[in-house]
Amino acid sequence: ARSFLYAVNGLQARIFGVWTLLSSVIRCLCAIDIRNRTLYYLTLFTFFLALIHFLSEVFIYHTAALTIGVMAPLMVASFSILGMLIGLQYLEVEALSQNKKKN
């Protein structure tokens, strides 16, 4: 097994922290206004981005191992994507029913 040791400097840590904070704000705003389709898609995209990021660190760059610290965000992102894709069907049905009421 290869062992990798990468140093993370302060700038990289702060960028990752800001990215995490931004994703959290987007997700909280979606929870408040879940019927906002643009915000819903943006939130879904943040989960895809997180999933791709952690998978690439494990399987492409080999800078992370499949430990609980990496598996937890992978599971959260995966289940969130699944739940949001299921919820998207209800969002579309609600939009269609509102359009019928207007006509």
Side-chain angles (χ1 to χ4, degrees):
R2 297 185 289 181
S3 123
F4 293 92
L5 178 63
Y6 292 98
V8 175
N9 65 33
L11 175 62
Q12 291 167 321
R14 287 188 298 276
I15 288 173
F16 189 75
V18 169
W19 173 71
T20 303
L21 180 63
L22 178 61
S23 295
S24 300
V25 168
I26 291 170
R27 293 167 187 172
C28 287
L29 290 173
C30 183
I32 292 169
D33 186 12
I34 198 152
R35 289 181 177 87
N36 184 330
R37 293 169 64 150
T38 303
L39 196 52
Y40 196 91
Y41 283 115
L42 186 61
T43 303
L44 183 59
F45 178 73
T46 67
F47 285 115
F48 273 114
L49 194 60
L51 183 65
I52 291 167
H53 167 71
F54 283 102
L55 286 174
S56 68
E57 292 300 327
V58 171
F59 295 112
I60 296 173
Y61 301 113
H62 305 285
T63 54
L66 276 177
T67 61
I68 190 67
V70 173
M71 297 227 7
L74 285 173
M75 291 181 352
V76 168
S78 299
F79 290 131
S80 297
I81 289 168
L82 181 63
M84 289 192 77
L85 289 175
I86 292 169
L88 187 60
Q89 297 173 1
Y90 294 103
L91 195 63
E92 298 293 333
V93 167
E94 185 177 322
L96 288 174
S97 68
Q98 286 180 355
N99 283 340
K100 287 181 181 179
K101 288 179 184 178
K102 288 179 182 178
N103 294 330

